[in-house]
Amino acid sequence: MSIRPILSQTPAQPTMEGAGVKLHRAFGFQDPTMLDPFLLFDDFRNDRPEDFLRGFPWHPHRGIETITYVLSGTVDHGDSLGNTGSLGAGDVQWMTAGSGILHQEMPKGNASGQMHGFQLWGNLPSSLKMTAPRYQDVSGTEVPEVIDDDGTRVKVIVGEFWGQRGPVDGIAADPQYLDIHVPAGLAKTFRIDTYRRAFAYVFEGAGQFADASDPTGIRLEKEVMGNEVNIRDLSGNRTLIRFGTGDEVTVTAGPDGIRFLLISGAPIEEPVAWHGPIVMNTQEELHQAVRDLQNGTFIRPQH
């Protein structure tokens, strides 16, 4: 067994997308080899309706897959193929854009005005760039949750973990997408296939991830002053942890526990030509996609 080294720990950066949605971007529009096969990860949690209600009006995608995971609130969606629907708390949607699709996503929030969720972009290999678009809409009730004896809870959204398989399948990157909660003070180890690129994204509580340089485990530094305990160097809300090669990740939860996404996938290792929501292998393919948008042939006939 080998603990994966921590390559970087970085905060998600505030940004604006769509028609004026304020969100936090953990990574995206940078070096596409950094987390190959993943291209972008957005955290669109917001408690102010005026910061998300304008949504993401009609826009194109080609050559990628997107997964949307909703924690609270709802997201109405529709596309150029006539598909419509609404994602609620706990629901998941995996969209394979393939040869091309136009769609829109309009966050609505919940009764308290909160809209919490995430969107991940995965690349497609050249052999599938122009595949037919498809959706996998999954109700939160279909997502298995495994509860360990120590109170650790894992929702298996994609892939297989602890004997459970997530409901989303047939994804090019063969990813594993887990929503993990570890109770306060507990150290927990999670296995990951050695050949996958992997990252964690903390979104509740805080904790410390073991590094390969300290294989004996985690040391939480504490200062006790009366009833106060200050824990330093913990990875907290909206922190991205990028891992190197190894077959396990270990985390020790802080005083309020920790909840994070643990995501891994097989790298594609192909050239990337990227312009906004269109990701191809060559500049010529990218230019062709733009021409298709301009002359009305972006959407291919479906058979």
Side-chain angles (χ1 to χ4, degrees):
M1 305 298 176
S2 60
I3 295 176
R4 285 180 174 248
I6 295 174
L7 300 181
S8 63
Q9 297 189 66
T10 54
Q13 297 300 307
T15 189
M16 187 175 294
E17 281 292 353
V21 177
K22 293 183 179 179
L23 48 80
H24 285 74
R25 177 158 293 154
F27 63 89
F29 299 107
Q30 298 161 329
D31 179 0
T33 67
M34 185 177 74
L35 280 167
D36 180 19
F38 305 114
L39 298 165
L40 176 145
F41 183 85
D42 281 345
D43 176 345
F44 56 87
R45 291 179 292 157
N46 208 305
D47 296 334
R48 289 163 41 94
E50 58 268 34
D51 289 341
F52 63 78
L53 282 177
R54 289 184 290 274
F56 308 91
W58 294 100
H59 58 282
H61 282 294
R62 176 178 283 182
I64 65 171
E65 300 182 284
T66 68
I67 182 170
T68 304
Y69 177 34
V70 177
L71 295 181
S72 62
T74 60
V75 179
D76 293 342
H77 64 88
D79 68 33
S80 53
L81 302 178
N83 299 303
T84 60
S86 183
L87 301 175
D91 293 349
V92 180
Q93 181 192 82
W94 197 295
M95 182 190 76
T96 303
S99 60
I101 200 165
L102 299 172
H103 79 150
Q104 64 174 349
E105 299 155 301
M106 305 303 290
K108 298 300 181 186
N110 60 19
S112 300
Q114 299 168 317
M115 184 68 246
H116 293 182
F118 310 104
Q119 187 169 93
L120 173 70
W121 290 12
N123 200 5
L124 281 169
S126 57
S127 60
L128 295 174
K129 287 288 188 187
M130 299 301 287
T131 193
R134 72 163 181 156
Y135 283 98
Q136 294 184 71
D137 284 339
V138 177
S139 168
T141 58
E142 300 177 53
V143 177
E145 182 175 39
V146 188
I147 304 177
D148 206 358
D149 293 340
D150 57 18
T152 299
R153 303 195 307 271
V154 180
K155 291 184 178 181
V156 186
I157 295 169
V158 186
E160 189 170 353
F161 190 76
W162 285 355
Q164 295 290 325
R165 175 164 287 279
V168 180
D169 62 9
I171 306 304
D174 187 27
Q176 186 181 61
Y177 190 126
L178 308 173
D179 177 351
I180 298 173
H181 173 263
V182 180
L186 183 67
K188 197 71 175 178
T189 296
F190 303 94
R191 295 294 307 277
I192 300 179
D193 186 288
T194 305
Y195 301 101
R196 295 168 179 264
R197 298 271 170 80
F199 69 91
Y201 184 75
V202 181
F203 62 95
E204 286 182 13
Q208 192 172 60
F209 289 83
D211 196 359
S213 61
D214 182 17
T216 59
I218 315 280
R219 297 182 180 90
L220 295 181
E221 297 186 32
K222 300 183 180 181
E223 291 181 349
V224 181
M225 299 176 150
N227 293 325
E228 293 186 9
V229 179
N230 296 323
I231 301 184
R232 294 172 287 186
D233 300 325
L234 296 186
S235 297
N237 187 27
R238 294 194 172 101
T239 299
L240 172 74
I241 300 96
R242 189 165 58 94
F243 299 106
T245 303
D247 57 16
E248 62 183 33
V249 167
T250 298
V251 64
T252 296
D256 297 317
I258 185 173
R259 189 175 176 189
F260 61 98
L261 303 178
L262 183 59
I263 299 174
S264 62
I268 295 174
E269 298 180 334
E270 291 183 351
V272 173
W274 188 355
H275 180 71
I278 300 173
V279 183
M280 306 303 289
N281 293 106
T282 68
Q283 287 297 317
E284 174 51 35
E285 291 171 339
L286 201 59
H287 295 156
Q288 183 61 54
V290 173
R291 289 194 293 269
D292 289 346
L293 276 170
Q294 292 171 341
N295 63 27
T297 60
F298 187 79
I299 306 301
R300 304 298 175 93
Q302 303 300 307
H303 302 291

